[in-house]
Amino acid sequence: MSRILITSALPYINGVKHLGNMVGSMLPADVYARFQRARGHEVLCICATDEHGTPAELAALEAGQDVATYCAEQHQIQKDIGVRFGFSWDYFGRSSSPENRELTQHFCEKLDEAGLIEERVDEQVYSVDDGRFLPDRYIVGTCPKCGYENARGDQCENCTSVLDPVDLIDARSAISGGVNLEVRASRHLYLLQSKMVDRLRAWIDSKTDWPVLVTSIARKWLDEGLHDRCITRDLDWGIPVSRPGFENKVFYVWFDAPIEYIGATREWADEAPGSRDWKSWWYGEAAQDVRYVQFMGKDNVPFHSIGFPTTLLGSGEPWKVVDYIKGFNWLTYYGGKFSTSQKRGVFMDQALEILPADYWRYYLMANAPEGSDASFTWEHFAGTINKDLADVLGNFVNRTLRFTKSKFGEAVPDGGMPGAAEANLIKELDARLEAYTQHFERMEFRKAVAELRAIWASGNEYLTVAEPWAKFKQDRDAAAIGVRTGINLIRLFALLSQPVIPTISGKMLEALGVSGDDAAWPTGPAAALLEALKPGHPFTVPDVLVQKIEDAQVAEWTARFGGA
RNA sequence: GGCGAAGUAGCUCAGCUGGUUAGAGCACCGGAAUCAUAAUCCGGGUGUCGGCGGUUCAAGUCCGCCCUUCGCUACCA
């Protein structure tokens, strides 16, 4: 048994996330956490809301709330939705916690001691009408290169030129529209990432098993020359900078957000200080045996492969640095971006309104954007759910248990001996069990789910050969071995499916009267697994496990959420 | 513009360090079966592996150029 620390990119506080956000972070992190727990490892799965920054302030403003209240509410909403999706977090924290405040300030002090912090004076745009400094993107105006009238201060969406806000013609605040903009000088702290380049490169070079997606993004940043990064902001909402002359400033959200992985672990420990030791997961000798895995979409990779490691390594203290980064591409909606503003795509709360969590979990993991971007369409989604979950798995459970009940009653029957059909099944299962487990170990989710589906299908193939319904007419015992094997297959399928579809899996185990305590990860030999439930073991026939999706529903949802 | 990823059967995707007749699932066609959510099982693919050229005994798999799509380009998180 080993210890595995799992974190997923923190969902930003300003509203419920869409499926495209979830599929690359929280969902695979949960699937992996469930898998490793079943394998018998000690897992700590941590997530939190990322609550600082200008967008949070503006969202609160729009909601007519003060930002602290807004964040508290949104945190609870996101937490509830996550729980309803089956996310088995050990702790879901908040980057605005006192624990994170202390840690963030601590890291800044340590980085300073290590000579990696420098004060510099910046000139930034200040909006008199809004009473605040504005990030580049919140200044709009006419693009000096193409004349587009709504170009943002960081980049023109029309001609894609990279801009500086002071170059905009007729610049105005994107928030208030106010034109009273001034360039004001402001003192800030810079993290001297440039001094860490060699160390970071050596570290990245040592990660030969990481996805190409991740290392290529990290190398790109190193190759282009790491800029020093400003880690403070002129905002009210955030972690205060404890330093003379910085009384009205807070840390940049991207500085404190990753630190919240540690902060949330402390929050978790602070709930039960007698029995939980946060430091043993993160610091020094005690954390030597921890394997730390992060999950995120590709947009987050630079901050996790460069930014956060700079903080940890640069501190000069023995903090645990990530061992493996699992990065994902985008999930697209009919080939285009999921978009809040254009009302394209499905958000987590909406998804749960229309179908159970397991449907989404299964589809999204089966089609995870691992090798490249992947496309979500309602037609593909419905087809996958109906075929894989309802027909191949759900119907297998139903046909097996109903037939057994009608001929033998509601208990595993005795009689009969394994023969050629069982031998073939066992041979196939032994191979597939190994492959399935390996795919999960390597975090190859698409392949894992494809293997899982093949394992379910092997049950149907077996029944076709065993044909207990035909044998029963002449030879009761020959039929008995068939259904006994079938019922044990249901147990096996439930145990194997649990990381992906925990609710359905739970219903299968419940029907068989198997407690969660016996739900350890099944390892071969398959022959023994198929004799786990002995003759006489009672069962019940559950309701239909997976309801099919109708064409009419596909049409309705396509219209509601924006289709092709 | 620069950089990165990718373009493989109707659809969604596998194909590691180059090597027998390029694979899977879905869809489609045919057959079997009838325990089951009309659910299952078996069989069926003449695909210019984006295009052109090159290296090699041998290239989807390496090199160059071109076309297309998507992303990043660092104070939006």
Side-chain angles (χ1 to χ4, degrees):
Chain A
M1 177 171 121
S2 56
R3 295 196 296 155
I4 303 174
L5 174 63
I6 299 169
T7 64
S8 57
L10 306 186
Y12 196 65
I13 194 69
N14 67 343
V16 174
K17 301 300 109 180
H18 57 60
L19 299 182
N21 295 128
M22 182 182 88
V23 69
S25 54
M26 296 180 277
L27 178 56
D30 180 67
V31 172
Y32 187 66
R34 286 174 177 274
F35 166 72
Q36 292 295 7
R37 284 194 201 101
R39 294 277 280 165
H41 298 306
E42 187 180 353
V43 168
L44 189 66
C45 185
I46 293 290
C47 195
T49 38
D50 176 11
E51 306 190 356
H52 296 138
T54 307
E57 291 192 341
L58 297 180
L61 207 61
E62 193 173 330
Q65 293 177 305
D66 68 86
V67 65
T69 307
Y70 173 82
C71 286
E73 267 186 36
Q74 293 299 316
H75 168 83
Q76 195 56 44
I77 289 170
Q78 294 214 29
K79 183 178 177 181
D80 289 345
I81 293 173
V83 168
R84 284 161 59 209
F85 253 103
F87 298 156
S88 58
W89 297 310
D90 290 288
Y91 197 79
F92 186 71
R94 303 181 60 186
S95 68
S96 60
S97 69
E99 287 85 349
N100 194 40
R101 167 190 297 223
E102 188 183 325
L103 281 161
T104 300
Q105 293 174 341
H106 169 84
F107 274 109
C108 184
E109 284 168 26
K110 289 296 164 187
L111 289 165
D112 196 12
E113 289 171 17
L116 293 171
I117 297 286
E118 190 175 287
E119 289 190 19
R120 294 183 188 173
V121 174
D122 271 351
E123 302 215 312
Q124 293 190 320
V125 176
Y126 183 86
S127 167
V128 178
D129 296 334
D130 295 295
R132 64 191 304 149
F133 282 94
L134 293 179
D136 293 355
R137 68 174 314 198
Y138 289 103
I139 300 154
V140 296
T142 302
C143 174
K145 298 187 177 163
C146 74
Y148 178 64
E149 291 179 0
N150 288 308
R152 296 194 326 206
D154 55 346
Q155 182 168 34
C156 174
E157 289 175 334
N158 188 49
C159 68
T160 73
S161 325
V162 176
L163 302 175
D164 194 293
V166 300
D167 296 334
L168 289 173
I169 300 161
D170 296 331
R172 60 191 185 276
S173 161
I175 302 162
S176 62
V179 295
N180 293 314
L181 304 179
E182 306 173 353
V183 175
R184 292 190 183 178
S186 183
R187 182 170 294 274
H188 283 292
L189 296 184
Y190 271 74
L191 176 57
L192 306 184
Q193 296 187 130
S194 53
K195 288 191 175 181
M196 294 287 291
V197 170
D198 293 341
R199 225 173 136 185
L200 288 169
R201 189 187 299 279
W203 177 66
I204 291 292
D205 286 345
S206 74
K207 305 302 181 185
T208 52
D209 60 331
W210 286 15
V212 196
L213 175 71
V214 172
T215 51
S216 67
I217 290 173
R219 286 212 175 82
K220 190 194 82 175
W221 280 56
L222 293 171
D223 290 345
E224 292 180 356
L226 261 194
H227 300 191
D228 296 329
R229 175 174 285 270
C230 179
I231 58 165
T232 53
R233 289 291 183 278
D234 290 289
L235 293 176
D236 298 324
W237 176 240
I239 294 177
V241 181
S242 46
R243 189 182 180 102
F246 286 77
E247 287 76 12
N248 296 316
K249 299 175 195 294
V250 299
F251 282 104
Y252 175 40
V253 56
W254 260 117
F255 184 70
D256 74 65
I259 295 172
E260 168 62 6
Y261 292 140
I262 308 172
T265 309
R266 270 182 90 161
E267 293 168 49
W268 164 79
D270 285 349
E271 284 195 339
S275 58
R276 296 174 182 173
D277 178 7
W278 69 272
K279 233 174 174 176
S280 77
W281 289 92
W282 283 101
Y283 197 85
E285 281 292 312
Q288 286 283 314
D289 65 326
V290 172
R291 177 168 165 77
Y292 177 23
V293 181
Q294 294 177 338
F295 292 85
M296 71 199 67
K298 58 185 170 186
D299 54 329
N300 271 296
V301 169
F303 302 100
H304 288 79
S305 62
I306 302 291
F308 191 35
T310 299
T311 300
L312 295 175
L313 297 171
S315 73
E317 297 180 319
W319 292 96
K320 182 76 197 173
V321 185
V322 66
D323 292 302
Y324 189 85
I325 293 179
K326 175 66 179 180
F328 288 83
N329 289 281
W330 303 123
L331 180 72
T332 65
Y333 187 78
Y334 286 85
K337 266 193 166 182
F338 274 79
S339 163
T340 313
S341 55
Q342 294 172 38
K343 294 183 179 168
R344 275 171 62 85
V346 188
F347 289 73
M348 289 173 70
D349 52 347
Q350 301 170 322
L352 289 176
E353 278 171 26
I354 59 180
L355 289 170
D358 280 5
Y359 289 36
W360 298 104
R361 293 175 62 107
Y362 180 80
Y363 176 81
L364 293 172
M365 284 294 90
N367 297 285
E370 292 181 297
S372 61
D373 291 353
S375 175
F376 175 92
T377 68
W378 287 106
E379 294 79 4
H380 191 225
F381 173 70
T384 301
I385 296 307
N386 290 348
K387 189 66 184 175
D388 295 1
L389 281 190
D391 294 347
V392 175
L393 176 64
N395 184 54
F396 176 80
V397 174
N398 193 246
R399 68 192 294 205
T400 301
L401 295 183
R402 287 188 59 161
F403 176 76
T404 306
K405 179 182 178 184
S406 72
K407 302 301 184 198
F408 298 95
E410 289 179 285
V412 177
D414 62 5
M417 292 290 287
E422 289 72 25
N424 282 334
L425 172 66
I426 286 163
K427 189 179 168 193
E428 178 174 356
L429 286 176
D430 277 331
R432 291 198 183 280
L433 247 47
E434 173 67 15
Y436 181 53
T437 302
Q438 283 309 310
H439 286 142
F440 265 146
E441 286 289 357
R442 293 177 188 139
M443 292 172 248
E444 302 225 47
F445 294 99
R446 282 182 96 112
K447 288 180 180 172
V449 174
E451 197 62 43
L452 178 60
R453 197 204 110 96
I455 289 170
W456 296 340
S458 74
N460 286 311
E461 291 163 26
Y462 166 75
L463 284 186
T464 300
V465 177
E467 50 176 3
W469 50 86
K471 298 235 172 92
F472 187 81
K473 293 167 188 165
Q474 272 85 34
D475 184 346
R476 181 249 174 227
D477 283 0
I481 180 66
V483 300
R484 195 160 68 241
T485 302
I487 293 170
N488 273 287
L489 280 173
I490 294 172
R491 172 181 171 276
L492 176 61
F493 294 172
L495 298 180
L496 293 172
S497 307
Q498 178 273 335
V500 185
I501 46 173
T503 305
I504 292 172
S505 186
K507 286 182 182 172
M508 290 163 68
L509 291 177
E510 190 185 341
L512 298 180
V514 176
S515 84
D517 296 343
D518 300 324
W521 192 253
T523 50
L529 293 170
L530 296 181
E531 292 178 358
L533 297 179
K534 304 297 183 191
H537 186 95
F539 67 85
T540 56
V541 181
D543 292 336
V544 166
L545 285 174
V546 179
Q547 209 72 46
K548 289 201 196 191
I549 296 169
E550 308 288 340
D551 289 348
Q553 292 176 294
V554 170
E556 180 195 332
W557 296 331
T558 304
R560 175 178 166 191
F561 295 99

